[in-house]
Amino acid sequence: MTRTIAAIDPGRTGAIAILSERGDLIEVLDMPTNPVTVSGKIRHIVSAPLLATMLRAHDPAEIWLERVGVRPGEGAVGAFAFGRGVGAIEGVVAYLGKPLSLVTPSEWKKATRTPADKGGARARAMQLFPTCADLFKRVKDDGRAEAALIGVFACRSDR
């Protein structure tokens, strides 16, 4: 059986990339979310049960997660929801008993020669995975691209 790595770009528009330890892209999954009402608005939060099911199906040997912080200009409600999602991801990984490694955006982008902008991440993912380029073609596929590139970093890492 092929040893796999899961790489996660957190957030409601994030994604999970499953790669072989050689760096072959096996699958990219959009972040599973559930709608909830907050202050009269519908928001989508990470679904821990669905995420656990997705990860369990691939049984990755290790999981890599983008280390994130407060984003400039983000409101309190959005920041809280984002942090809650990251906590849900960390909780699922702990529940599954998998090793978790964190990597900063600047670290994986430098190592994979990825431009800082979201479009640059999509273009770089299309370069590295040309047979899977359709997964990254839409503007909203930046989370997929970033998850795949975090996976590339993980496969090349000696940590």
Side-chain angles (χ1 to χ4, degrees), residues 1-37:
M1 185 171 180
T2 302
R3 184 175 173 267
T4 61
I5 293 170
I8 303 174
D9 178 50
R12 69 177 182 82
T13 61
I16 304 101
I18 308 296
L19 295 91
S20 72
E21 64 185 333
R22 292 187 328 259
D24 300 317
L25 188 62
I26 296 169
E27 188 170 10
V28 178
L29 306 157
D30 292 325
M31 185 63 67
T33 61
N34 286 327
V36 295
T37 303

Side-chain angles (χ1 to χ4, degrees), residues 19-98:
L19 295 91
S20 72
E21 64 185 333
R22 292 187 328 259
D24 300 317
L25 188 62
I26 296 169
E27 188 170 10
V28 178
L29 306 157
D30 292 325
M31 185 63 67
T33 61
N34 286 327
V36 295
T37 303
V38 178
S39 302
K41 285 186 168 182
I42 303 265
R43 297 200 179 262
H44 293 269
I45 62 168
V46 173
S47 170
L50 289 174
L51 178 62
T53 299
M54 290 173 157
L55 291 172
R56 200 178 298 119
H58 289 282
D59 193 27
E62 58 188 286
I63 298 173
W64 287 71
L65 175 64
E66 186 177 57
R67 180 189 307 260
V68 291
V70 176
R71 297 176 290 192
E74 186 169 34
V77 173
F80 182 79
F82 187 72
R84 181 179 174 183
V86 170
I89 294 165
E90 291 173 340
V92 166
V93 173
Y95 167 74
L96 295 174
K98 300 294 180 179

